[in-house]
Amino acid sequence: MSGDQIHPVPTGFLRRHVFSTDHKVIARQFMWVGFLGLFLGGVMAMMIRWQLAHPGEPFPLLGMLFWPSSGGAIPPDAYNTLFTMHGTIMIFVGLTPLLIGAWGNFCIPLMIGARDMIFPTLNMLSFWTLFLGVGVAVYSLFVPLGAAEGGWTAYPTLSSNIGTPGDGETLWAISIFLIGASSIMGGINYITTIVRLRAPGMTWGRLPLTVWGLFFTSVLNVLFLPVIGSAMILMVLDRVFGTSFYIPATMAQGGGGDPILYQHLFWIFGHPEVYILILPAWGIVGDLLSFFSRKPAFGYRVTVGALAAVTILSAVVYGHHMFTTGLTAMLGESFMLLTFIISVPGEILFFNWLHTLWRGDLRLTSAMLFSMGVIFVFGLGGLTGIYLATISTDIYLHDTYFVVGHFHLTMAASSLFGAFAGCYFWYPKLYGRMLDERLGKLHFWATFLPLTFVFCAMFFSGYGGMPRRYFDHTDNPYTNELQWINELTSTAAFILGAAQLLFVVNVLKTIRSGAKAPQNPWEVGTLEWTAASPPPHHNFDTIPVVLTGPHEFSNPAIRGGKDWIYQTEPLSG
Amino acid sequence: MTRTLLPSVAALALLAAAGLLAPGDVTDEGRGAAPAPDLPPHARAPYGVPLSVAEGARLLAWDKDIERAAAAAEPGRFRKDGDTWVDARGEYAWDAEEEVYWQDVPASTLTRGRQDFVQFCSSCHGLQGDGYGRSARGLRPPPRSFLRSTFKFTKVPGAFLPNDDALLRLVQHGLDGTPMLPWAVSEQRLRDILQYVKSLSPEDSGWRDPTNEIGDVIYTPPDPVTDESHPKHPWYRQPEKAVAAGAEAYHKYQCWSCHPAYMTQKQLNALRGPSFADTAYDASLTYGKLKKDSSYEVLGYHVAIPAPDFTWHVLRYGRDAREVFQTIAAGIDGAGMPTWGRTDPDAKGSVPDEEIWAIAHYVRHLVATYQDQPAERAAFMAGVRSK
Amino acid sequence: MSPIRSRRARTALATLAALAALALAPATSAQQVVDRWRPNPPASSYGQRFDDLFLLITVLIGVSFAIVLVLLIVPVVRDRARPGHKASFDHGSSLHDKRFTAVVSVTVFIVLDAWVLVVAMKDLREGYWNMPRPDTPDVLRVEVLAQQWSWNFRTPGSDGELGTPDDVLSINQLTVPQDRPVALNVTSKDVIHSLFVPDMRVKRDANPGAINVAWFQPIKAGDFQILCAELCGYAHYQMHGKLHVLPAAQYDAWEQEASAIALAEHDPNDAEARWAWDFKE
């Protein structure tokens, strides 16, 4: 490509490590914010599960630190803040920076054979806007009347100043806006980079599925984050400047707005958001299953088509979150039908993944275990979506723990497993060190088993009729009969939380003194493995020329006794 | 450097906008605070909600009878100095001129109480504690206005202001059958909220009026049905005898002038004596009367609350005989229910203790037997209404 | 990359499986409460449809997931990397593969999705959305006003008309007759709530500024739990009530008495008392 210049490495601590425009540095910045988010969200989850299993009992160790006025027990207003911030932080400060910020930033230029993103400064801005958003969210925890308490969905009028006076909710809305802006910037960057900066020979048909997943995620980011941004602007206007976008005329101070407007705006964003979180994971899984089965990804074009179909359809299924709000019958049935239709490309993905494994040569590394784990948890979670897509069963199951179990399996567990798979896979390239494989596999099983238990148990409590977001299920006789499930779930959740220490230990142990990573420890042919571990500032000495696809494993045309080939090498014969 | 300056400035501008929302300085005269004249007070928009209290408050603590209160506070904290008591912590002070003890509640306590009040209480009781919360509109009974310093169910006779413990127990109990919940807020936070609520007394009234007295829960003697120190009492371990006596006492003391009667007209006349032999009663004898409740005023109108029908309505603060005893004995401040008991164990109440206990057991018997039992109740009331 | 040491992995798996079995073992703590994990048997006329469809979906997805599990486990066992073992080379892009994919997709859609869709549409049309006309004499109209944090209910009373002094108003308790349709108009005073009666399998959001309609017909007498199913603040968990279903004769007697008491308690001078009850259809 013309204009290919190798710029000198920047000097100065700030330029190199803080305000760097190097996508690899930014990727690491996103990764650590992601880990921090997962940690914070995880601690909050432990607090929530503690309160649910042992209502009114002081939270061990940290209880007296946070809530001295109640003797260390979690008060009801703090509990509402906990589940609100748990959801917000896990999605926006945990998974998004990790999957899209970190793996997107790291993988895209390397996998397509570019030196960096097409807009490096925009990239840096994207990180710092996220950081600012996180800062606003953290600041909101310390204002009088506390942080946001309306759930991460923040429906008005509870989230309007009528339902929640104080600054916490306003600051929360601002932080969502900023984090959304960060994602939009990132999305623009990724799309343009993938379109414009692919190395010669890197056709659309030779892109790794990871890049395809990130591409479609970025399309959704760019299209739908502005919607949540506008929803948040309207909310801030209502809360601070006295407008009535969401406040109906029947309220004493209302002026003809509609709280359902917010729900539409939120879920037009909210449903694509869950696909935003899962598409990179699907892409990573598609690639890794092929890499570690030593077989091509089955039905590459069909898989890409399925990803595209999911992307397009994700916009028109959002109404299934609103079945009980009083939608007309026609609208409800349309959303039901479309939600069923979107399951078809998802099912095609499964078909292709399983076919990739079939008669492969499986190398069960930690990254592979997590990828296969995605098949399991997303299969289970996705299938339970059928109960919720069907209006007649959703009427009972809406806003019960059934939904919580469903979305944790599909959104949280699957994306998280995809993120972990990416961690175990690219860590050698990112840091030049190998993670301990045994610890990694132990981490997988110690995570996978309790996680499955926790969220499957929620299917039972939800089926039993236990509503969400209750501070204390023993307060009424009906859900009191389901309390035993809460106790079991919490025990498993504590095990799940503790198991993540295995990952922390693994990273801390190896980041400076782990085994040095070879250039290509997994024997995989995508372009990032042609660079050094870690790659130099300019990634590639010369821009690679691509001659083969990313999944040419066990191709009989490969010579030299290998079962893999670099994308820069030709297939003979 | 310039490339990072621009986004930093933009971010700071955003933060400054957020900072505009900082509470504390904004008073009620801020944006949107005064509603248009034709809008009800429920329309007070919670913009710029003041969350911090600038000054502490001086609230009535207790009267000269401090020994009991001092013992309830920390031992060693109070020291007798001549005729008065000195508080080592300086929170309670004796005013020699007014001859009352005041409590100096610091602004920090009131701020914490104010914030928790806005969190938990303001949706019904209003941001100013005047009962005009956004959820309160149309509620009957309407939420209490704390500006009147009157509470109905504290078990403290209306002649006194309730002490902190009585108020605390009231909030923690909740009022059954109303939206006033038994709040799961810690006691420490509740006490701060209560200090704030007390500070809402207008100038020279309620807890700011030195001529008022702080009272304790009404004197509650032991229940003859369960009092082990008097096993020879005819009702000991025989509640049905107490119930029978209570049925008689209830109708003898004309509780039916407000509450329903649970006897036929004939039986009632027989009970009242020969001079009432042929009295005919209003058809509404077996229904509770609607009474203007002076403790509730909504938009200038005193709201009327019916005296409860014990076979039908949920008792607000009467889950057992003891609680019912205390409600009867203390009365209900502001409503039509007078103080039938006595505060001083040595004084005499309007109704003897034993008979109040009997009525309490009778009331609980009516509740337990007929509430939520529509068939039984229908049969019972049909019997009562027969000629 | 060396292959995993299968013996170690098997030991680790066995240990974790034992732990999992322990975790899954039923609770042994002393219970005074009757524990359950299912809803109570349905108490409304269309409630059984939920249970039946739930069962159907469970069977269908159970079979599907079992197939997925088999297809996942077989390669793990059979196709492990070992010396001399080779993967098959197949891009899966042949026409045959594409046709096979299409056939499987269509089959899954028909068996899993379309079947459920057909049953669901039938249930909706015949049950959940088959609202009786409110002006039918048999129908009991109930107006539900949700607020932070309690339920206010209004029924027409003996005269059968809403908006008259004998309307029965109650907080957190709703009394309805058995075997007669109950038509609900649900709204809220302040924030969004959701009326949920699990035993009747009915749920409808209470939105401020709008009236949602729902209906059910109780087929059993007794007391049933009412819960709030949309986050509405700190006391969302305390916003529960009781639905009393009385047999017809008992209900008539109850309604008569309730209307008489309501009439005695009606204060015509209190202009604000019935502010929120002016529901315009």
Side-chain angles (χ1 to χ4, degrees), chain A residues 149 157 295 299 333 343 359 361-362 387 396 398-399 438 441 445 453 464 470 475 478 481 484 552, chain C residues 4 8 16 24 36 58 76 79-81 85 88-89 91 113 125 190-191 198 203 205 228-229 234 240:
Chain A
E149 293 166 7
T157 43
K295 260 186 82 188
E333 288 179 354
S343 73
R359 300 224 180 270
D361 189 43
L362 270 55
Y387 295 100
Y396 179 91
H398 171 73
D399 231 83
R438 268 180 358 194
K441 287 174 197 168
W445 289 108
F453 182 82
Y470 272 26
D475 192 71
Y478 186 82
E481 296 167 348
W484 67 278
E552 292 299 335
Chain C
I4 53 161
R8 272 198 212 202
L16 281 156
L24 285 162
R36 62 180 171 84
T58 307
V76 169
D79 301 323
R80 285 275 187 85
H85 180 252
S88 71
F89 177 71
H91 269 288
D113 298 341
R125 300 256 161 88
D190 38 35
V191 300
K203 177 184 291 143
D205 283 6
C228 180
Y234 320 109
H240 41 82

Side-chain angles (χ1 to χ4, degrees), chain B residues 103-327:
Chain B
Q103 180 182 13
D104 281 311
V105 186
S108 57
T109 304
L110 290 178
T111 299
R112 283 197 307 271
R114 165 76 184 161
Q115 287 174 8
D116 282 343
F117 178 84
V118 170
Q119 282 270 45
F120 294 106
C121 321
S122 66
S123 64
C124 283
H125 291 281
L127 287 165
Q128 282 132 325
D130 55 8
Y132 289 109
R134 67 194 167 273
S135 229
R137 199 154 174 216
L139 256 191
R140 295 294 177 268
R144 183 140 298 278
S145 161
F146 298 121
L147 305 179
R148 306 178 64 95
S149 312
T150 312
F151 297 91
K152 284 171 80 170
F153 295 104
T154 54
K155 320 288 195 202
V156 176
F160 303 99
L161 292 171
N163 63 9
D164 283 359
D165 282 332
L167 286 173
L168 193 71
R169 262 182 266 134
L170 173 62
V171 176
Q172 287 178 327
H173 180 278
L175 294 174
D176 299 337
T178 71
M180 178 62 191
L181 298 167
W183 284 97
V185 179
S186 75
E187 193 174 302
Q188 193 177 329
R189 283 173 97 179
L190 265 180
R191 285 193 188 274
D192 287 345
I193 296 173
L194 287 172
Q195 302 310 336
Y196 173 74
V197 164
K198 286 176 359 187
S199 76
L200 292 171
S201 296
E203 194 75 41
D204 288 328
S205 76
W207 273 272
R208 292 186 206 244
D209 181 355
T211 62
N212 281 332
E213 287 176 53
I214 307 261
D216 205 352
V217 167
I218 193 84
Y219 169 66
T220 310
D223 181 0
V225 172
T226 56
D227 184 16
E228 286 165 0
S229 60
H230 291 95
K232 297 248 175 54
H233 193 284
W235 299 349
Y236 181 63
R237 295 224 179 127
Q238 293 182 79
E240 62 282 357
K241 289 208 177 143
V243 168
E248 211 181 287
Y250 178 94
H251 294 92
K252 192 176 73 179
Y253 285 104
Q254 297 188 42
C255 302
W256 45 265
S257 54
C258 294
H259 295 279
Y262 298 107
M263 284 181 173
T264 62
Q265 294 197 21
K266 262 217 191 103
Q267 291 169 321
L268 196 54
N269 286 338
L271 184 72
R272 292 176 82 192
S275 49
F276 294 98
D278 293 316
T279 312
Y281 298 93
D282 208 343
S284 66
L285 179 66
T286 53
Y287 292 99
K289 314 294 179 293
L290 202 63
K291 294 289 179 193
K292 283 256 191 280
D293 188 336
S294 65
S295 68
Y296 286 124
E297 200 181 280
V298 175
L299 299 176
Y301 171 79
H302 274 124
V303 172
I305 305 282
D309 177 344
F310 304 110
T311 62
W312 187 268
H313 296 111
V314 179
L315 288 182
R316 303 288 183 243
Y317 197 150
R319 291 179 194 156
D320 58 27
R322 184 189 162 84
E323 288 180 3
V324 178
F325 175 94
Q326 289 179 324
T327 305

Side-chain angles (χ1 to χ4, degrees), chain C:
Chain C
M1 185 58 212
S2 56
I4 53 161
R5 286 173 224 157
S6 49
R7 210 174 289 146
R8 272 198 212 202
R10 264 188 249 136
T11 331
L13 267 170
T15 324
L16 281 156
L19 279 172
L22 260 174
L24 285 162
T28 51
S29 54
Q31 307 281 358
Q32 319 95 306
V33 171
V34 175
D35 293 337
R36 62 180 171 84
W37 56 270
R38 308 188 233 222
N40 295 323
S44 68
S45 56
Y46 58 60
Q48 188 61 41
R49 292 174 185 270
F50 166 79
D51 293 56
D52 292 341
L53 187 54
F54 193 91
L55 182 63
L56 172 67
I57 296 176
T58 307
V59 167
L60 290 174
I61 70 173
V63 168
S64 313
F65 193 63
I67 295 174
V68 168
L69 273 183
V70 165
L71 293 174
L72 198 52
I73 294 177
V74 166
V76 169
V77 169
R78 180 190 65 188
D79 301 323
R80 285 275 187 85
R82 47 191 184 273
H85 180 252
K86 274 197 172 29
S88 71
F89 177 71
D90 183 4
H91 269 288
S93 50
S94 70
L95 190 58
H96 163 82
D97 290 321
K98 291 194 180 126
R99 270 206 282 252
F100 189 44
T101 306
V103 165
V104 169
S105 309
V106 170
T107 313
V108 166
F109 185 78
I110 291 176
V111 172
L112 202 54
D113 298 341
W115 187 354
V116 170
L117 260 175
V118 164
V119 175
M121 301 280 258
K122 188 158 170 284
D123 283 346
L124 289 170
R125 300 256 161 88
E126 292 174 4
Y128 301 87
W129 288 346
N130 193 11
M131 280 213 41
R133 284 184 50 133
D135 49 14
T136 325
D138 204 32
V139 170
L140 175 73
R141 293 192 54 196
V142 178
E143 292 185 341
V144 183
L145 181 64
Q147 69 170 84
Q148 286 178 317
W149 287 278
S150 59
W151 296 102
N152 303 296
F153 298 106
R154 179 163 84 152
T155 49
S158 310
D159 66 352
E161 291 260 334
L162 280 168
T164 54
D166 78 336
D167 289 352
V168 179
L169 292 136
S170 57
I171 297 180
N172 290 333
Q173 306 233 58
L174 176 60
T175 308
V176 298
Q178 187 182 344
D179 295 322
R180 276 174 56 193
V182 177
L184 302 162
N185 273 8
V186 188
T187 189
S188 161
K189 272 192 198 180
D190 38 35
V191 300
I192 301 182
H193 304 266
S194 189
L195 181 72
F196 180 34
V197 189
D199 294 327
M200 300 291 166
R201 311 289 191 264
V202 67
K203 177 184 291 143
R204 194 62 92 245
D205 283 6
N207 299 321
I211 300 175
N212 275 340
V213 293
W215 83 285
F216 65 95
Q217 177 163 327
I219 55 175
K220 286 188 205 168
D223 288 348
F224 305 101
Q225 186 78 55
I226 298 175
L227 297 167
C228 180
E230 185 60 58
L231 178 67
C232 51
Y234 320 109
H236 171 52
Y237 72 106
Q238 282 177 302
M239 191 170 160
H240 41 82
K242 271 273 177 288
L243 174 72
H244 303 290
V245 179
L246 298 175
Q250 272 195 38
Y251 176 78
D252 289 335
W254 175 90
E255 190 184 48
Q256 208 144 12
E257 181 71 21
S259 301
I261 291 180
L263 210 52
E265 292 173 10
H266 174 72
D267 185 353
N269 297 317
D270 189 352
E272 220 217 22
R274 281 154 168 73
W275 157 78
W277 294 113
D278 190 16
F279 283 23
K280 299 241 182 334
E281 302 284 327

Side-chain angles (χ1 to χ4, degrees), chain A residues 59 192 230 240 311 329 344 400 433 459 467 494 549:
Chain A
F59 187 74
T192 319
S230 53
V240 179
T311 306
V344 175
T400 63
R433 307 260 176 201
F459 290 135
F494 298 145

